[in-house]
């Protein structure tokens, strides 16, 4: 069976296009895929915090062959891989000491895994705030148009 993971990538610090490009290249190397689709770039104001730096965002769909649906442990392992890619690209933390958002060189979020619902202390899929964020929904719509019913 085929399975598709939908990701949102964003950057609002440094060379945003290059940082996102590095993340996409790392995804291609680290995730087993039979196909990978990327959206065009989408520029947006920061969401949830104040900054003079706009974000550049894309959506990525990674399709792979699997024998079964994703388990919670496999989804968390995917999260670990994505966080490893973020750390390899940038040592800049995603949040301030008080937990609030801050500028970041790269951010990779799992938006959906097929039509599965996953809820662990570390991960909720589908992403609970995705529908409130045009910087997620617009690029995601671009790569899913005509694919999902």
């Amino acid at each position: 069976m085929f399975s598709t993971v939908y990701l949102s990538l964003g950057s609002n610090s440094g060379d945003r296009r290059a940082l996102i490009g590095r993340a996409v290249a790392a995804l291609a190397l680290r995730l087993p895929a039979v196909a990978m689709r990327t959206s065009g770039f989408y520029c947006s104001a920061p969401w949830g915090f104040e900054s003079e730096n706009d974000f550049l965002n894309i959506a990525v769909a990674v399709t792979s062959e699997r024998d079964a649906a994703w388990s919670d442990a496999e989804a968390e392992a995917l999260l670990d891989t994505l966080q490893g890619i973020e750390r390899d690209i940038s040592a800049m933390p995603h949040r301030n000491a008080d937990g609030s958002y801050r500028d970041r060189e790269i951010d990779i979020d799992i938006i959906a895994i097929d039509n599965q619902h996953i809820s662990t202390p570390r991960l909720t899929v589908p992403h609970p705030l995705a529908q409130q964020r045009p910087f997620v929904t617009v690029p995601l719509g671009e790569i899913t148009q005509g694919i999902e019913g």
Side-chain angles (χ1 to χ4, degrees):
M1 76 185 236
F2 290 101
S3 172
T4 303
V5 172
Y6 297 94
L7 306 171
S8 177
L9 283 67
S11 173
N12 81 324
S13 184
D15 186 340
R16 300 172 305 165
R17 283 183 188 265
L19 291 162
I20 290 171
R22 285 181 59 195
V24 170
L27 291 170
L29 288 173
R30 295 190 195 177
L31 300 182
V34 294
M36 183 181 291
R37 294 183 308 281
T38 59
S39 71
F41 288 101
Y42 181 85
C43 189
S44 65
W47 190 94
F49 72 106
E50 298 291 324
S51 175
E52 295 179 5
N53 303 315
D54 283 344
F55 272 87
L56 202 56
N57 302 90
I58 68 167
V60 176
V62 181
T63 302
S64 61
E65 279 195 79
R66 296 184 52 84
D67 293 328
W70 289 73
S71 69
D72 289 356
E74 289 171 318
E76 285 189 350
L78 171 63
L79 178 63
D80 292 338
T81 298
L82 299 178
Q83 290 174 341
I85 292 170
E86 289 175 339
R87 283 189 304 274
D88 288 349
I89 292 172
S90 173
M92 180 184 285
H94 288 127
R95 295 189 185 244
N96 294 311
D98 66 0
S100 61
Y101 293 126
R102 58 173 287 154
D103 289 340
R104 54 188 79 78
E105 291 183 319
I106 193 68
D107 187 32
I108 306 171
D109 288 332
I110 301 170
I111 303 304
I113 300 174
D114 300 320
N115 291 320
Q116 284 193 245
H117 292 273
I118 296 168
S119 181
T120 74
R122 294 182 54 218
L123 180 63
T124 302
V125 176
H127 193 291
L129 300 175
Q131 293 302 317
Q132 299 173 25
R133 298 172 169 178
F135 61 86
V136 172
T137 59
V138 172
L140 191 61
E142 182 183 322
I143 61 173
T144 60
Q145 192 170 37
I147 294 172
E148 297 179 351

